Amino acid sequence: MTTARICEVIKTLDVGGAEVLLVERLRGAPRDNRAYTVVFLRASTETLADELRACGVDVVDLRSCPRWLRYADLVRVVRKLSPDVVNVHSPAPAALLRPFLRLMRRRPLLVSTVHSVWYRPLTMLLDRSTRWLDDVTVAVSPQVAEARTVRGARRVRTRIHGVDVAAQRSWARRALDVRSEFGIPADSFVFACVANFRTPKNHTLLIEAAEQVLARRAEALLVLAGDGPLREQVLAEVDRRGLQKRVRYLGAVTGANRLVAASDALVLSSSYEGLPVVVMEAIAAGVPVVSTAVGGVPDLVRDGDNGILVPHGSPRRLAEAMLRAMRPDVHATLAAGARAGAEAVDVRATTAWFDELYAAAAGGVRG
């Protein structure tokens, strides 16, 4: 039987939402009659590339090519691979690749997966100009499917991705060990925020809300994990408010999913989102989510069931939600709701869904 060659293209292979979703899916993807290659242009660590190689995925790293030549090299590499399927997870590479792939004598099934409700205006314009060339456009949530980032697509399918539910439940059972690893008191009520320090995540609003919570509840503790250009600015704000002992920065944590599983609640203060991986990790572990109601978050977080949603932009409303989540009766209800909804974020279903999507190309049916 012919082996289907599947090429997944992503601009950056750092530990971020789209990247983690891709790795989670490929880790469990079928290998019978499937050969996977991931091509990426940038990364600041080897973590995800090493994980892909460890599970049998070929990885093509274009970082050695001069930056101004990388997109040309991307076209060369993908055409040389002669794949049956190309799935592009970043808008700029997608805009470039689509016309070239359409001109291939035996062209691949062309898929693009949209992970966000917002891109920079120029990027969005370039992406939209060639999006009609996709065979299928996949949106990672219903909110994304309605966003400007998929306009111009001929065929949109929505698929909420997922995480390793069994692994998250295992980490939740070992919560005390994880807390000990990070020096977190066992009797603290831990709000975890795992997010890169970038403008959309709105950490400054979170710090303002946390100050109100910490002033009223002595057992509350906020832990921050991640990195990014606004890190020093956010940490300076923590210092300015005198919250250093109650707001802990843990750095860019490898395997931060276990920190999510070991917390009492996940908290997000984002101004906009696609569908955050950390929300799926929290629900998989039975951890309630307190978040602004932006992007795809409401597609998974049901207010009063497995989390609490508030409008974005209000520190007071976010603080009130955090305080409400700390009430024992409310927390027990939300945690039970999260555990009951874990099936909706199980990556195994998403892996099977993509395999069916790709199956049409296995026999070289593209014309």
Side-chain angles (χ1 to χ4, degrees):
M1 185 177 292
T2 303
T3 296
R5 298 181 299 275
I6 300 165
C7 179
E8 310 264 358
V9 177
I10 194 160
K11 183 177 180 181
T12 304
L13 201 57
D14 281 330
V15 182
E19 296 86 350
V20 170
L21 288 177
L22 176 61
V23 173
E24 287 277 5
R25 175 167 63 81
L26 294 187
R27 185 180 287 119
R31 297 294 186 266
D32 293 342
N33 307 313
R34 303 285 189 272
Y36 288 89
T37 302
V38 171
V39 183
F40 72 97
L41 288 79
R42 295 190 327 209
S44 59
T45 73
E46 301 298 321
T47 302
L48 295 186
D50 287 344
E51 288 186 24
L52 287 168
R53 294 185 184 102
C55 64
V57 175
D58 290 334
V59 178
V60 179
D61 179 355
L62 300 183
R63 287 177 295 177
S64 60
C65 182
R67 182 168 294 185
W68 60 279
L69 281 177
R70 284 182 196 171
Y71 281 95
D73 203 32
L74 172 64
V75 173
R76 179 191 65 80
V77 165
V78 174
R79 295 190 70 173
K80 184 178 179 180
L81 288 169
S82 188
D84 297 293
V85 179
V86 176
N87 187 348
V88 191
H89 299 263
S90 310
L96 175 73
L97 280 171
R98 289 178 184 122
F100 288 98
L101 296 178
R102 276 279 178 170
L103 293 173
M104 291 176 65
R105 178 174 297 177
R106 182 178 175 276
R107 74 170 182 86
L109 180 80
L110 183 52
V111 181
S112 66
T113 300
V114 183
H115 294 266
S116 180
V117 298
W118 184 89
Y119 299 129
R120 291 185 178 90
L122 179 58
T123 301
M124 195 141 30
L125 178 63
L126 292 172
D127 186 38
R128 191 179 303 172
S129 69
T130 61
R131 182 171 293 287
W132 62 276
L133 294 171
D134 283 346
D135 292 300
V136 182
T137 301
V138 179
V140 299
S141 76
Q143 291 277 355
V144 171
E146 297 295 326
R148 291 180 296 171
T149 48
V150 299
R151 285 181 187 171
R154 293 183 299 130
R155 182 187 178 201
V156 180
R157 298 184 66 179
T158 302
R159 180 67 206 185
I160 291 176
H161 285 46
V163 297
D164 188 334
V165 171
Q168 284 303 95
R169 287 179 170 173
S170 176
W171 284 118
R173 290 192 293 270
R174 290 178 280 170
L176 290 179
D177 293 335
V178 176
R179 290 191 181 203
S180 177
E181 175 188 350
F182 291 105
I184 298 172
D187 57 352
S188 294
F189 190 101
V190 178
F191 289 99
C193 178
V194 178
N196 289 325
F197 288 78
R198 298 183 180 277
T199 301
K201 302 301 183 180
N202 207 350
H203 281 82
T204 301
L205 184 145
L206 174 59
I207 299 307
E208 187 174 346
E211 183 178 36
Q212 299 175 42
V213 173
L214 299 176
R216 295 176 59 179
R217 297 294 297 265
E219 74 275 28
L221 179 71
L222 173 64
V223 296
L224 307 175
D227 204 352
L230 299 181
R231 180 193 62 198
E232 293 306 321
Q233 177 182 321
V234 172
L235 296 183
E237 183 67 13
V238 172
D239 291 345
R240 188 184 72 80
R241 294 175 182 268
L243 302 176
Q244 304 93 319
K245 294 182 179 180
R246 310 272 304 281
V247 178
R248 297 191 183 177
Y249 174 57
L250 303 180
V253 176
T254 300
N257 59 298
R258 69 191 194 281
L259 179 63
V260 173
S263 65
D264 293 291
L266 175 75
V267 59
L268 294 175
S269 52
S270 305
S271 301
Y272 59 86
E273 284 282 2
L275 185 59
V277 175
V278 289
V279 170
M280 291 184 269
E281 291 172 342
I283 291 172
V287 173
V289 178
V290 179
S291 176
T292 47
V294 297
V297 175
D299 294 324
L300 285 178
V301 180
R302 299 178 299 278
D303 189 48
D305 177 26
N306 59 0
I308 302 174
L309 297 174
V310 299
H312 73 85
S314 172
R316 178 184 61 81
R317 294 286 297 274
L318 184 60
E320 289 172 352
M322 293 169 71
L323 288 166
R324 182 180 161 207
M326 294 183 70
R327 288 171 40 189
D329 58 332
V330 173
H331 186 266
T333 297
L334 299 179
R339 288 191 295 271
E343 183 178 342
V345 296
D346 194 330
V347 71
R348 292 177 299 178
T350 299
T351 298
W353 187 90
F354 269 98
D355 192 51
E356 289 180 9
L357 181 67
Y358 294 165
V365 299
R366 306 308 306 167

